């Protein structure tokens, strides 16, 4: 049974005087309880919009969300009213953001921000809330939590800020955690620590997690199932093992090939994917990745490719492995 | 004890508890940092010293003056012969046209000026923040209905803004009848639109900040987000404006008195009214206009200096 079942999620941004932009275009995936799934793709592929749409955090104007996202066989997150969502946010589903500094209120001490969540969902106040907040900071590995509670966000280091945000997100033991590039704004050494912490917390609480990232290294160490997004659509979906063993879509392949390797010969050039996400083709006309694809065929631009291939599915007419 | 009272007490206790938990030690907050920068700004120090003297004079001055400000006949004054005695050892600023001690009147007038400035600004600040805060929160967090509420409130503010400030103040005094209270209400009323627009704009700018989205993602309620997240991040420009408004409020109150719309009692010592009285004797006793004018200018300057320094200290762009 799936904890979250996203079906045909589509987010269109548009206004009276601008052309519609399909930021997310029919994305479907499911998250089972306790499972970690990855949404991978480069900037502008729709991964953050997906997470904001699921949380109901998109601005009220200028966008249209369609599709279904059934949480726990009950509520459709995309169509339910804000009141229900407010009750669910933080308690059932919580989110961790990219930039810990701007995600914390600069003029309010950490302690107030943590206890606020406890007061909202667990009815804790005063000394009890403070004790619990202290325990939470301790749990996410912040040393001297008693002192830290009184400090302001700018007095904490980047890693510590992200830990504080994680503490707030897991304060009510939500069943689903959405992590939107939680390590992008951090030093490499801190990144590993934060990922380790997330892994540990998710494991301890049995929380399911959607990890949104552009970093395949992150998903490799963390996710059970991976969805690769390009221009708003899932282009490849597979278990971690299968995806890394056999990247099938040329985009996934390109992402993996572009990672610099320790064992490559010095002087070897890096292998970037040529072009940028801006060079996309609208999906209705064919494969959006076609303009940048090294395996492009004429049939690629004859119409949108379908997602094929069973458990390890891909959206490509000329995938890797097809000719060998 | 009634249920309500018990609830109220419990709430107060909880607040006190929270304050106690978070108040002590802490770290260096935005405000503390701003204060440190303020201390290193010479303009701020000059402004603060001027205001310090002004407030001190306003508070204790009236108890120390050598003469009662309303006591007439302290010397020989003849307006027909153009005789009004100037400064002497006994009367430091000389006498005025009714042979009252000008120095004592200046000192007592300081209290009046301080009172008018502070009360008028507080009046404008309170109602301006009420309207602006409501509109800003409604626009930023209230969805479609919030936007209509914001629209209604802001069009009301636009109506106030459409009228020139002094004219609006004069109309209010005309409506309510001249008195000290009326002057304070009128001057405060004129400053409402500024505060309302400033706070609203500042709150709307904060409403899309990431920490607001983050707090929303944790299920924090809208009222709580507006009051404990957006508001504290939006008040800095309003406080700066309040300091600057104190200066204009003093000038405007003096202006209303000057136009004869202030306290109708001619005996009260009030800088604006003293200026009016001085005008008729300007040819032979210009010093009577000089004292209140300089008083108004210096206090207004003090508030302006401090306000500008506060603006600099709180401006995140100028922070290192």
């Amino acid at each position: 049974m799936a904890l979250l079942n996203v079906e045909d999620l589509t987010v269109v941004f548009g206004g009276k005087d601008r052309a519609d932009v399909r930021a997310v275009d029919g994305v479907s995936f499911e998250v089972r309880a306790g499972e970690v799934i990855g949404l991978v793709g480069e900037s502008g592929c729709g991964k953050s919009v997906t997470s904001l749409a699921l949380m109901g955090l998109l601005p009220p104007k200028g966008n249209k969300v369609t599709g279904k996202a059934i949480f726990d066989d009950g509520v459709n997150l995309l169509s339910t009213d804000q009141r229900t969502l407010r009750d669910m946010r933080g308690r059932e589903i919580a989110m961790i953001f990219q930039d810990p500094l701007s995600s914390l209120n600069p003029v309010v001490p950490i302690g107030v921000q943590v206890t606020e969540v406890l007061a909202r969902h667990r009815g804790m106040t005063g000394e009890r809330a403070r004790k619990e907040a202290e325990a939470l900071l301790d749990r996410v590995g912040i040393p001297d939590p008693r002192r830290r509670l009184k400090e302001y966000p700018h007095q904490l280091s980047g890693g510590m800020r992200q830990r504080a945000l994680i503490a707030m997100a897991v304060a009510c033991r939500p069943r689903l955690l959405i992590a939107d590039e939680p390590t992008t704004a951090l030093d490499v050494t801190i990144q590993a620590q934060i990922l380790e912490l997330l892994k540990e917390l998710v494991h301890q609480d049995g929380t399911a997690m959607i990890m949104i990232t552009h970093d395949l290294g992150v998903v490799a160490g963390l996710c059970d199932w991976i969805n690769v997004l390009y221009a708003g659509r899932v282009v490849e979906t597979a278990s971690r093992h299968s995806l890394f063993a056999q990247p099938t879509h040329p985009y996934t392949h390109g992402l993996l090939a572009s990672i610099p390797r320790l064992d490559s010969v010095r002087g070897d050039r890096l292998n970037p994917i040529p072009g940028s996400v801006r060079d996309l083709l609208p999906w209705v006309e064919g494969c959006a990745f076609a303009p940048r694809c090294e395996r492009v065929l004429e049939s690629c631009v004859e119409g949108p490719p379908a997602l094929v291939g069973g458990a390890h599915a891909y959206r490509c007419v000329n995938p890797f492995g097809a000719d060998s | 004890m009634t249920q309500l009272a018990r609830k109220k007490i419990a709430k107060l206790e909880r607040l006190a508890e929270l304050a106690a938990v978070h108040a002590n030690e802490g770290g260096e907050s935005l405000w503390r940092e701003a204060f440190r920068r303020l201390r290193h700004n010479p303009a701020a120090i000059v402004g603060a010293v001027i205001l310090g003297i002004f407030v001190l004079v306003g508070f204790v001055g009236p108890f120390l003056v050598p003469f009662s400000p309303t006591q007439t006949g302290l010397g020989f004054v003849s307006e027909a012969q153009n005789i009004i005695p100037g400064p002497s050892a006994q009367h430091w600023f000389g006498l005025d046209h009714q042979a009252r001690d000008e120095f004592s009147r200046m000192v007592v007038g300081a209290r009046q000026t301080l009172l008018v400035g502070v009360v008028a600004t507080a009046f404008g600040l309170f109602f301006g923040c009420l309207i602006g805060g409501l509109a800003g929160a409604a626009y930023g967090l209230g969805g479609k209905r919030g936007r209509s509420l914001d629209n209604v409130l802001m069009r009301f503010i636009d109506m106030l803004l459409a009228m020139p400030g002094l004219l609006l103040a004069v109309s209010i005094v005309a409506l309510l009848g001249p008195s000290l209270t009326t002057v304070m209400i009128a001057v405060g009323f004129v400053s409402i639109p500024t505060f309302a627009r400033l706070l609203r704009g500042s709150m709307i700018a904060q409403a899309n900040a990431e920490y607001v989205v983050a707090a929303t993602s944790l299920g924090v309620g809208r009222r709580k987000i507006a009051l404990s997240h957006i508001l504290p991040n939006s008040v800095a420009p309003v406080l700066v404006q309040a300091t600057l408004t104190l200066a204009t409020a003093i000038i405007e109150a003096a202006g209303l008195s000057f136009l004869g719309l202030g306290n109708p009692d001619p005996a009260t010592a009030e800088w604006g009214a003293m200026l009016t009285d001085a005008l008729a004797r300007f040819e032979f006793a210009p010093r009577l206009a000089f004292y209140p004018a300089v008083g108004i200018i210096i206090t207004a300057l003090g508030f302006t200096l401090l306000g500008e320094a506060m603006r600099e200290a709180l401006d995140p762009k100028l922070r290192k």
Side-chain angles (χ1 to χ4, degrees), chain B residues 37-83:
Chain B
R37 261 175 307 156
L38 209 55
R39 266 193 349 229
H40 291 126
N41 187 342
I45 294 172
V46 173
V49 167
I50 291 176
L51 294 183
I53 294 172
F54 176 55
V55 170
L56 196 71
V57 168
F59 267 101
V60 301
F63 302 109
L64 303 175
V65 288
F67 299 95
S68 157
T70 51
Q71 191 189 345
T72 55
L74 290 171
F76 176 72
V77 167
S78 165
E79 288 201 65
Q81 296 168 38
N82 291 354
I83 295 174

Side-chain angles (χ1 to χ4, degrees), chain B residues 137-206:
Chain B
Y139 184 93
L141 304 169
K144 234 185 207 136
R145 268 171 56 207
R147 274 167 203 236
S148 344
L149 175 62
D150 166 69
N151 223 337
V152 171
L153 291 172
M154 279 303 116
R155 293 304 77 76
F156 170 68
I157 293 296
D158 284 349
M159 270 160 54
L160 295 185
L161 270 178
M163 286 172 262
L166 194 61
L167 216 58
L168 185 60
V170 168
S171 335
I172 293 169
V173 175
L175 206 69
L176 302 176
S179 76
L180 185 66
T181 326
T182 316
V183 168
M184 295 193 285
I185 291 176
V187 171
F189 197 82
V190 170
S191 67
I192 288 178
T194 321
F195 288 123
R197 290 187 70 100
L198 202 61
L199 185 63
R200 170 183 176 268
S202 174
M203 283 180 76
I204 288 175
Q206 294 292 328

Side-chain angles (χ1 to χ4, degrees), chain A residues 93-133:
Chain A
I93 311 175
M95 189 160 171
I96 300 164
F97 291 87
Q98 186 169 349
D99 182 356
L101 182 57
S102 53
S103 297
L104 288 165
N105 188 337
V107 302
V108 178
I110 300 292
V112 179
Q113 303 191 48
V114 179
T115 47
E116 189 172 71
V117 186
L118 296 171
R120 170 73 171 91
H121 292 300
R122 290 168 70 180
M124 288 182 172
T125 48
E127 188 59 19
R128 235 178 100 223
R130 201 192 57 78
K131 278 239 168 68
E132 178 68 18

Side-chain angles (χ1 to χ4, degrees), chain A residues 31-97:
Chain A
V31 188
R32 282 185 286 271
E35 189 183 55
V36 180
I37 76 144
L39 293 184
V40 186
E42 62 197 280
S43 314
C45 74
K47 46 195 199 308
S48 290
V49 176
T50 303
S51 62
L52 290 177
L54 291 177
M55 294 292 288
L57 291 175
L58 287 170
K61 259 185 162 175
N63 62 68
K64 211 172 142 250
V65 183
T66 52
K68 272 195 286 191
I70 309 295
F71 184 77
D72 199 22
D73 279 338
V75 194
N76 182 354
L77 297 177
L78 304 181
S79 64
T80 191
D81 58 313
Q82 283 289 325
R83 189 176 294 271
T84 317
L85 274 181
R86 272 200 291 276
D87 280 339
M88 289 179 73
R89 284 188 210 126
R91 197 173 57 189
E92 306 275 357
I93 311 175
M95 189 160 171
I96 300 164
F97 291 87

Side-chain angles (χ1 to χ4, degrees), chain B residues 201-222:
Chain B
S202 174
M203 283 180 76
I204 288 175
Q206 294 292 328
N208 293 320
E210 257 179 68
Y211 63 82
V212 174
V213 179
T216 313
S217 84
L218 291 167
V220 180
R222 281 185 297 182

Side-chain angles (χ1 to χ4, degrees), chain A residues 138-153:
Chain A
D138 190 50
R139 184 165 179 229
V140 297
I142 294 181
D144 198 2
R146 208 189 174 80
R147 185 165 65 94
R148 293 298 179 189
L149 282 177
K150 290 174 193 159
E151 294 196 335
Y152 291 85

